[in-house]
Amino acid sequence: MKKILAIYYTQSGQMRDIINSFTQPIIDAGASVEKVEIKMVNSYNFPWTGSSFFGVMPDCVLGVPAAIEPFTLKESEYDLIIIGYQPWFLSPSIPSNSLLNHPDFIKVMQGTPVVTISAARNMWLNAFVRVRKSISDAGGKLVGNIALVDRHSNPISFVTIFYWMLTGKKERYLNIFPKPGVDEQEIEDTAKFGRIIAARLNMPDYWESLQVELVHNEAVNIKYPLMFIEGKAKIIFSVWAKIISKREKKGFWLAAFKYYLFFALFIVAPIALTVDMILVKPFFGDRILAKKNFYLQLN
Ligand SMILES: Cc1cc2nc3c(=O)[nH]c(=O)nc-3n(C[C@H](O)[C@H](O)[C@H](O)COP(=O)(O)O)c2cc1C
C-alpha cells in the first residue's frame, strides 16, 4: 500500500477543503493518506486586522520562520508528500515557510517525491520558486505542481480578498462583488488532479511526466500581465521589507507600504503594463516564453 502524507496550513479552511477534494480519489484508490494540518504556536488571528495583516509582510518576504506546534508523523518515509500552502506577500506564508524549514520535515522530504498545491489570490509565482528551492535544498524531488487562484480580475480580487481577510466571510462583498478566493466548484474539481495521481500510483516510473499531464489539465495557468506585475513587485517588496525590518517604529513604515501598495496596483501597474505591451512585449516573445516555462516546470 502506498503511503502518502498530505501536510498543509490553512486559516479560513480553504486549503483544508482543497486537500480533502484532492486526496479523496487517492484514498478511494486504496492508498493510505495521512493528513496533517499544521498550527502555529502564536497563531495568526483570523480574521485579520489591517495592521496585523500588513505587520507580517517583512517576515514573509525575508523568510523568517516562526514556531510550529509540535506535530507527529506516523511514518518516517513516504511514497509521496503533498504540500498545501498559500502565498503571503508574494512569498510562502510564514507557516508554510516554517514547515519547509522544520528539521523533522526536512528529514522526511529527503529523497521523497513531492507535489505542491497552492491556493492564492492570483500571485503565486515567486512563492512557488521559493517553495521549489526549499524542497530541492531538503533533497526532495518535486514531481508536480498545482496552482489554484481566484479567477476574477486583479482589481476585483484585490478588493474582495481584503473583505474576506478582514471579516472572515468568504461571501459577496455588498452583494455586488463576486465571492473571494478559489471558486467552490474549482475546489471540488481538484479531485481530477487526485485521480491523475491515483492512476499513476502503481505504474513503473509513475512520476515521470506527471507535470506535463497536470499542466495539460490546467493545473497551472500563467497570465502574462500578472507575471509582469509580480516580477516587478517582488523586487520592490524586498526593498520595503528590508527597510521596515530595520526600523524601530514599524507602524509608520507599514502604513506607508500599505498606501504604496494601493497606489502601485491601481495607478502604476496599469501604466507600466500599457507601456510594456507597446514597447517591450512584442519584441521579447522568446524571453517571455522561457520565463513562463520556468514557472511551469519543476526545476
Ligand atoms: C497576509 C496575507 C498576504 C497574502 N498575500 C497574497 C499574495 O501575495 N498573493 C496572492 O495571490 N494571495 C495572497 N494572499 C491570499 C492567500 O494566498 C490565500 O489565498 C488566503 O489567505 C486563503 O488561504 P487559507 O487557506 O490560509 O485560508 C494573502 C493572504 C494573507 C493572509
Side-chain angles (χ1 to χ4, degrees):
M1 191 198 269
K2 297 286 180 197
K3 287 178 287 185
I4 295 167
L5 170 68
I7 192 161
Y8 63 96
Y9 173 78
T10 188
Q11 281 194 306
S12 69
Q14 177 175 267
M15 182 51 78
R16 188 183 311 120
D17 292 345
I18 291 167
I19 289 287
N20 285 337
S21 298
F22 179 45
T23 54
Q24 194 54 49
I26 308 174
I27 297 169
D28 294 344
S32 143
V33 178
E34 181 183 340
K35 296 181 202 171
V36 177
E37 182 173 321
I38 59 159
K39 302 272 178 204
M40 303 307 287
V41 171
N42 295 314
S43 63
Y44 300 95
N45 284 338
F46 185 75
W48 297 81
T49 62
S51 58
S52 66
F53 185 91
F54 285 97
V56 296
M57 189 280 274
D59 282 356
C60 279
V61 174
L62 300 174
V64 180
I68 303 180
E69 276 189 12
F71 58 92
T72 40
L73 302 179
K74 288 189 194 143
E75 314 288 342
S76 54
E77 279 179 20
Y78 291 89
D79 295 296
L80 175 70
I81 296 177
I82 297 166
I83 302 176
Y85 73 96
Q86 53 291 109
W88 287 1
F89 294 106
L90 312 181
S91 314
S93 65
I94 295 176
S96 314
N97 182 50
S98 308
L99 174 68
L100 289 162
N101 281 287
H102 193 287
D104 294 351
F105 191 57
I106 289 177
K107 210 161 142 195
V108 79
M109 271 198 291
Q110 208 165 35
T112 308
V114 177
V115 169
T116 46
I117 181 160
S118 61
R121 179 176 73 91
N122 61 14
M123 295 200 190
W124 55 272
L125 301 174
N126 186 42
F128 170 62
V129 171
R130 288 172 60 172
V131 167
R132 176 166 76 181
K133 181 167 186 313
S134 296
I135 294 168
S136 153
D137 289 350
K141 185 175 178 342
L142 187 62
V143 294
N145 177 47
I146 300 155
L148 304 173
V149 292
D150 180 336
R151 291 185 187 261
H152 296 101
S153 75
N154 193 32
I156 297 272
S157 63
F158 191 80
V159 172
T160 60
I161 197 156
F162 273 112
Y163 174 71
W164 179 24
M165 294 294 120
L166 301 183
T167 63
K169 296 178 188 159
K170 199 180 181 190
E171 290 172 2
R172 299 183 59 190
Y173 176 43
L174 299 173
N175 255 331
I176 298 170
F177 285 90
K179 273 191 175 183
V182 179
D183 184 73
E184 266 147 42
Q185 188 59 50
E186 204 166 326
I187 293 179
E188 265 184 46
D189 290 348
T190 48
K192 75 179 173 193
F193 304 125
R195 282 193 288 276
I196 291 174
I197 291 191
R200 285 170 174 260
L201 278 178
N202 295 312
M203 289 181 190
D205 298 330
Y206 48 108
W207 302 128
E208 277 301 302
S209 74
L210 170 66
Q211 182 66 359
V212 176
E213 194 175 352
L214 289 175
V215 170
H216 187 70
N217 281 276
E218 304 218 346
V220 189
N221 215 318
I222 296 174
K223 289 193 173 159
Y224 176 76
L226 294 173
M227 183 172 85
F228 172 85
I229 296 174
E230 198 176 334
K232 308 282 175 251
K234 175 184 99 170
I235 301 162
I236 298 165
F237 276 29
S238 157
V239 173
W240 274 99
K242 281 179 195 146
I243 293 174
I244 296 170
S245 66
K246 286 188 193 126
R247 297 286 177 271
E248 262 188 23
K249 287 190 178 145
K250 296 191 170 43
F252 167 80
W253 290 93
L254 287 168
F257 171 71
K258 177 173 77 180
Y259 290 113
Y260 166 80
L261 195 61
F262 292 124
F263 176 71
L265 186 76
F266 289 102
I267 312 282
V268 180
I271 297 170
L273 255 174
T274 310
V275 173
D276 179 81
M277 291 285 185
I278 298 165
L279 297 179
V280 182
K281 191 173 175 238
F283 308 105
F284 290 95
D286 287 352
R287 200 187 283 183
I288 292 166
L289 194 66
K291 218 168 184 188
K292 279 192 178 178
N293 281 332
F294 172 72
Y295 294 119
L296 284 174
Q297 287 167 5
L298 302 171
N299 40 47

